[in-house]
């Protein structure tokens, strides 16, 4: 593959950097899709029929979306998946990645906040020029909780719209002052 002004080994190096960025963007898109309960965005991070193995759940990505969204709606007022350390081993149209995560959930009952830490171990495939997850194993390594909230509930704080759907301020284009 040739890039304007880049040839040979340099072109391959640029291609690999672009591949790695597309894969990391996919990891981020997956987390955002779950956090916003945005099925379309979540599914866009996987190839159709991909398998997601979360230990307590194993099935197709479509089944995973149903399971995850039902669980989060029932158990959390809001939640975030934070991803950190990320390694990516490329081999042609296949990549194996490991991504560390922290999950934070604001619980509806019991302990106000739940924390989980672990790793996503993924096999990505490039099909028809598109990188996406073909197989994921989520490895939960630790669980903890926080006993007392230190901020008022989200609905009492000023700022943008916090929602787990497309009304969330992160979807606004162009982003600007919230009217109304």
């Amino acid at each position: 593959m040739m890039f304007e002004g880049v040839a040979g080994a340099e072109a391959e190096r640029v291609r690999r950097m672009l591949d790695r960025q597309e894969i990391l963007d996919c990891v981020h898109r997956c987390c955002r899709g779950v956090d916003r309960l945005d099925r379309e965005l979540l599914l866009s991070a996987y190839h159709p029929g991909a398998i997601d193995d979360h230990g307590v759940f194993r099935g197709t990505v479509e089944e995973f979306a149903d399971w995850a969204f039902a669980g989060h709606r029932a158990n959390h007022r809001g939640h975030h998946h934070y991803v950190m350390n990320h390694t990516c081993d490329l081999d042609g149209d296949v990549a194996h990645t490991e991504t560390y995560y922290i999950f934070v959930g604001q619980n509806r009952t019991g302990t106000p906040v739940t924390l989980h830490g672990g790793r996503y171990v993924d096999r990505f495939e490039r099909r028809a020029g598109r990188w996406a997850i073909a197989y994921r194993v989520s490895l939960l390594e630790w669980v903890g909780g926080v006993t007392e909230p230190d901020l008022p509930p989200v609905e009492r704080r000023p700022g943008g719209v916090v929602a787990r759907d497309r009304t969330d301020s992160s979807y606004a284009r162009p982003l600007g002052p919230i009217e109304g």
Side-chain angles (χ1 to χ4, degrees):
M1 176 169 286
M2 300 294 287
F3 297 93
E4 191 173 322
V6 181
E10 284 300 307
E12 178 59 24
R13 187 169 171 231
V14 171
R15 173 78 263 153
R16 291 174 67 80
M17 288 188 318
L18 291 172
D19 288 344
R20 289 176 192 279
Q21 187 61 55
E22 288 176 34
I23 288 166
L24 184 57
D25 288 349
C26 190
V27 170
H28 291 156
R29 195 167 59 247
C30 180
C31 291
R32 184 166 187 252
V34 173
D35 289 344
R36 300 279 54 85
L37 300 178
D38 184 333
R39 184 181 182 86
E40 181 181 339
L41 187 60
L42 171 61
L43 294 180
S44 77
Y46 291 80
H47 285 298
I51 300 298
D52 191 298
D53 183 347
H54 261 65
V56 296
F57 169 87
R58 183 179 188 275
T60 67
V61 63
E62 296 83 4
E63 294 165 335
F64 169 70
D66 295 340
W67 173 80
F69 289 5
H72 286 308
R73 282 186 179 108
N75 296 307
H76 304 113
R77 287 196 234 356
H79 56 281
H80 294 139
H81 290 77
Y82 299 96
V83 291
M84 296 151 294
N85 302 11
H86 175 79
T87 60
C88 179
D89 296 324
L90 290 167
D91 185 12
D93 289 337
V94 175
H96 288 85
T97 67
E98 178 184 55
T99 308
Y100 287 59
Y101 73 83
I102 294 177
F103 164 81
V104 180
Q106 184 184 24
N107 296 325
R108 292 189 182 279
T109 61
T111 303
V113 175
T114 296
L115 304 171
H116 295 180
R119 293 171 292 124
Y120 298 124
V121 178
D122 297 321
R123 184 182 79 236
F124 278 82
E125 295 177 1
R126 178 173 33 211
R127 300 179 189 166
R130 178 181 163 266
W131 283 106
I133 299 167
Y135 192 90
R136 166 169 278 182
V137 176
S138 177
L139 304 172
L140 179 62
E141 297 192 34
W142 57 266
V143 176
V146 180
T147 59
E148 294 297 323
D150 62 353
L151 291 171
V154 170
E155 54 274 4
R156 292 195 213 134
R157 283 184 244 147
V161 176
V162 175
R164 296 190 300 165
D165 58 34
R166 289 182 175 262
T167 64
D168 186 84
S169 290
S170 65
Y171 285 92
R173 298 292 186 270
L175 182 63
I178 305 299
E179 302 293 326

